[in-house]
Structures are given as structure tokens and as C-alpha cells.
Amino acid sequence: MTGGASAPAELCAVVLAAGEGTRLRPLTERVPKALCPVGNVPLLDRALARLAGLGLTGPNRVAVNACYLGDQVVAHVGDRAHLSVEPGDPLGTAGGVANLRDWIDGRPVLVGNADAYLADPAAPPGPDVAALLDGWDGRSVRLLGQPAADPAAPGTFAGHCFTGFSLLPWRLVRDLPVAFSDLVRAVWRPAEAAGALTVVPYPGTFFDTGTPADYLAANLHAASGGALVEESATVTGRCVESVVGAGARVHGDVFRTVVWPGATVRAGERLRNVIRAGNDLTVPCPAQG
């Protein structure tokens, strides 16, 4: 592939959506992390849209794994992708891919984390990560990354932090055990040691949305510094630099706040740097910038 935004015909994709999202509790006690909205769009839908932008759609080309609150993920995905429901506890990133071995069936696979928020003002979703596929030899491992603040910090690859998408050849997928394991130890580090791993820089904005602070920051980025209010929401209070979901009712004042679909902010309430879910859950976030 060179220069375009379409995936090679044999490529398939897996979106990892099975995790518990423990750092986002108590939000993820209600909704799996993959379905948490950013800019009023569930994270999983953002991942599927990015794959669609590469020409990867439908259950023959795209798979989604599910485990924690898996019924919600299954219902949300419907027939848009092949579903892999893991029994018991989540299998981890490598185990989740291994569990899809029969479906992958000899193809190279683009693996994306459902909780990765990516936005590049210079390219729409899909084309913004197409460089990951350009000129690939079909045998090495590629990771999407951004320069790390500390290039020598643990968890970095060639001085970069991973930004949610990796490209794996079939030869490194076929022998993965269907047991709890992660791609870092099972695939990426061995490939790096063998000189068979390349980091492709991502030029846009990335948040892993794993903590309340990063989740809030991703939402504020999606709002482009303004108020992003879904049409069916009711807002009678002040709403500044915030995201308000479908059917929400905001009668108080919100500043740098995410109000989930159906949630309520009562008259007299003043919320700042928080996430409001339902009528009773307020998750504080450290102030950003």
C-alpha cells in the first residue's frame, strides 16, 4: 500500500473492547469503557469509524472482543462486526487476539484499542493512521506512537509511547496461546529484540482515556474548546467548555465538564472538572492546564 487510505485486501482488524476499565471506576461500573462517550460518540464507534475510513467494515473484515459487561458491547455492535465473547475474565490483549485465531485465519491483523482517542486536524479517521500500512513488508510488527517525554522511560518503544494501534503479521499471531497475556510481552518486545519492530509516528492528538483526567481531556478536545451539546439535551444553565449528552438536563452551571447521556445537573449545582453520570454520580478530575 502506498499513499492511499484503503487497507490491503487480505488485512483484517480487531478492536479490543473486553477490558474492565478499572481506573475509570465508578463510571465503568455502569458502562464498559469501550462504550464511554467522547464528544458524544462511544469510543468503540470511533474505533469502528477509523477502520471504516481504511475500508475495513463488516464481520468478515472487523472483529470486536467483549467480556466485562459484554452484553452491552454485543448489543451495541450488532451485526457491524464479528463478535468474540470471552468467558470468565478478560484474556488480555494477546489472549484476545489468540481467541480470534480461527477468524483471522492466516491474515495480517490491525489491532486497535477501543479506548484510544485519536484526532488529527490534517486527516479524517482512517487516513490519519494509514501511514501504519504504507510500505509494510507483511512480516514485521508496526506500532503507532508519539515521542515520549522521557524516551528512556519504561513502556516506550524507540523513544515513543504507544498510541492505540498495532499491525501484526499472521506468523506472530498463529501460535499465541488462548490464555491471559498481553501483546507487549508476547509479541512487541520479542519483535523489538529481533529487530523486527517499527514505530510509525502519529502526528495528531492522542489520549488513552484510561483515567478520569485523560477521559475529560479527550472530551474537551472533541469539543474544540467550546460547548458540545447533543440536540436532545436540555440546557438552561451556563455551559462552558463542556460536553452534554443525549437527553441530559443541565439546569445548573457546568465548566469543563462531561454530562453523560440522560444525566441531570440540578438548578443551583456548579460543576467544574468533573464527569456527571445519571442523577447521582459525580467523578472529579484533576484540573487540566
Side-chain angles (χ1 to χ4, degrees):
M1 173 184 175
T2 56
S6 295
E10 73 279 7
L11 184 72
C12 65
V14 172
V15 180
L16 299 172
E20 295 186 31
T22 54
R23 293 178 297 162
L24 271 183
R25 288 177 179 162
L27 292 169
T28 48
E29 291 174 0
R30 304 182 178 203
V31 175
K33 182 163 65 168
L35 298 187
C36 290
V38 170
N40 287 332
V41 179
L43 280 161
L44 180 54
D45 288 354
R46 289 182 174 273
L48 293 174
R50 179 160 278 105
L51 295 178
L54 291 170
L56 294 165
T57 61
N60 293 324
R61 301 293 300 279
V62 178
V64 175
N65 74 335
C67 185
Y68 174 73
L69 298 179
D71 289 350
Q72 291 187 38
V73 174
V74 169
H76 188 81
V77 171
D79 62 1
R80 292 183 291 165
H82 175 81
L83 283 155
S84 172
V85 180
E86 300 169 8
D89 295 325
L91 288 167
T93 54
V97 172
N99 200 45
L100 279 157
R101 184 186 299 111
D102 290 346
W103 176 84
I104 296 170
D105 192 24
R107 295 177 290 180
V109 58
L110 178 63
V111 181
N113 292 347
D115 60 358
Y117 172 82
L118 300 163
D120 183 354
D128 66 336
V129 300
L132 197 60
L133 307 176
D134 285 342
W136 184 48
D137 63 8
R139 292 190 55 78
S140 61
V141 171
R142 283 187 170 183
L143 304 182
L144 200 66
Q146 289 187 328
D150 178 3
T156 58
F157 296 85
H160 289 71
C161 295
F162 174 62
T163 58
F165 282 81
S166 63
L167 188 57
L168 309 179
W170 167 248
R171 69 183 181 89
L172 297 181
V173 170
R174 66 186 172 207
D175 295 327
L176 289 174
V178 183
F180 180 81
S181 57
D182 64 78
L183 287 170
V184 175
R185 285 183 281 266
V187 178
W188 299 348
R189 290 303 184 194
E192 182 182 46
L197 182 143
T198 303
V199 177
V200 176
Y202 182 71
T205 296
F206 163 75
F207 293 103
D208 74 358
T209 72
T211 66
D214 283 339
Y215 175 72
L216 174 62
N219 271 277
L220 298 182
H221 185 273
S224 301
L228 180 60
V229 180
E230 210 279 342
E231 287 184 0
S232 63
T234 300
V235 178
T236 60
R238 293 182 67 232
C239 181
V240 180
E241 294 182 40
S242 296
V243 177
V244 180
R249 297 171 300 281
V250 179
H251 302 302
D253 297 340
V254 294
F255 179 69
R256 299 175 69 87
T257 288
V258 180
V259 182
W260 269 20
T264 299
V265 179
R266 291 174 292 276
E269 284 192 289
R270 291 175 173 80
L271 303 184
R272 184 185 182 98
N273 291 315
V274 302
I275 302 147
R276 166 60 59 85
N279 298 323
D280 57 346
L281 177 59
T282 304
V283 177
C285 308
Q288 302 287 311

